[in-house]
Amino acid sequence: MFKIGCHLSVSKGYLHMAQEIIELGGNTFQFFSRNPRGGSAKEIDPDDIAAFLEYTKENGISCILAHAPYTLNACSKDEKTRDFAFTAMSDDLKRMEYTPGNLYNFHPGSHVGQGVETGIGYITDLLNRVLWEDMTTTVLLETMAGKGSEVGSKFEEIREIIDKTELSDKLGVCLDTCHVYDAGYDIVNDLDGVLDEFDRVIGLDRLKAIHLNDTKNPFESHKDRHEKIGEGFLGADAISNIINNERIKDLPFYLETPNELPGYAEEIAMLKKMRKSL
Ligand code: FE
Ligand code: FE
Ligand code: ZN
């Protein structure tokens, strides 16, 4: 099945997002676990969750992805920022258990001059404190563009984080198509080579979701600016190859393109046409 969706606002609750994605023509969605600028999360409403779970069963919504706030930086130089990362992620992961068996994605963070190794140390410290044996959520490390001092723009860095995490069976990877191209993985001319490399370094069984974005910047630009599907440096053909590739076509795809809801509906319709088997 083609699992396709986009980023939605959680402000009106879970049921509302589920209804919204069905209206947009999708069957999965992403949302921020809390305000993207940080701060506190919206209270869980048990009635909303019950209605949501019922609705998703009836409407074939198979999985959802919560995205941690951008301000969450597990490897900051500043202790308060690292503490916020711990508090926010542990609270998010507890709330995720209301909707069991889903995905939670976060940016590994920026080491801000402390060096990649120190950064990876802080990130794994955090993961070793927030993961627990019986959790049902899979926590995804997002592949980054390598802007500034971002950790996670090289597959090797992600591999090292996974290796140093005790409960590494709780971890997976979310590949962002804009980010990896900006980072220097040529998914336009050699998608299969990039997937081979991912498999060799991390293992394709760890890949659990794709952020499907075009990019405003050329190859290896380390910029991270998303573009609408087919309007950037990836282009429609590369996007079509990605959603039809045998090794990744069954993963959930999430649009984070610069769109309002009608724009997302158009992109979802376009992608469904590009897709060889729905
Ligand atoms: Fe992200
Ligand atoms: Fe992304
Ligand atoms: Zn991005």
Side-chain angles (χ1 to χ4, degrees), residues 37-188:
R37 303 240 159 264
S40 61
K42 200 171 176 287
E43 279 296 320
I44 287 278
D45 169 2
D47 292 338
D48 178 41
I49 295 287
F52 165 79
L53 292 173
E54 181 71 27
Y55 185 88
T56 53
K57 230 192 291 166
E58 284 166 6
N59 289 277
I61 294 174
S62 53
C63 71
I64 57 171
L65 172 57
H67 194 307
Y70 290 138
T71 46
L72 189 146
N73 185 5
C75 59
S76 170
K77 226 194 245 186
D78 173 26
E79 198 180 336
K80 267 201 204 119
T81 307
R82 294 200 305 273
D83 285 346
F84 169 75
F86 170 73
T87 314
M89 201 187 282
S90 23
D91 180 56
D92 284 353
L93 291 176
K94 275 172 206 137
R95 274 180 303 106
M96 287 296 290
E97 293 297 322
Y98 284 95
T99 54
N102 284 301
L103 306 168
Y104 179 84
N105 173 68
F106 77 108
H107 296 177
S110 296
H111 64 69
V112 282
Q114 303 174 99
V116 177
E117 286 310 311
T118 304
I120 288 175
Y122 281 135
I123 296 160
T124 51
D125 278 351
L126 171 85
L127 289 170
N128 284 330
R129 288 194 293 152
V130 297
L131 304 179
W132 71 96
E133 195 69 59
D134 298 326
M135 67 188 288
T136 67
T137 305
T138 302
V139 175
L140 307 183
L141 296 146
E142 182 167 350
T143 60
M144 301 311 293
K147 191 177 55 175
S149 63
E150 273 174 354
V151 179
S153 66
K154 296 191 176 75
F155 295 162
E156 285 79 3
E157 293 169 2
I158 289 175
R159 173 61 200 240
E160 198 179 330
I161 296 168
I162 293 170
D163 282 346
K164 289 185 170 156
T165 301
E166 283 153 36
L167 296 173
S168 60
D169 60 314
K170 309 296 175 197
L171 296 179
V173 178
C174 173
L175 184 143
D176 187 307
T177 56
C178 163
H179 298 178
V180 288
Y181 191 68
D182 284 13
Y185 292 99
D186 192 355
I187 54 173
V188 173

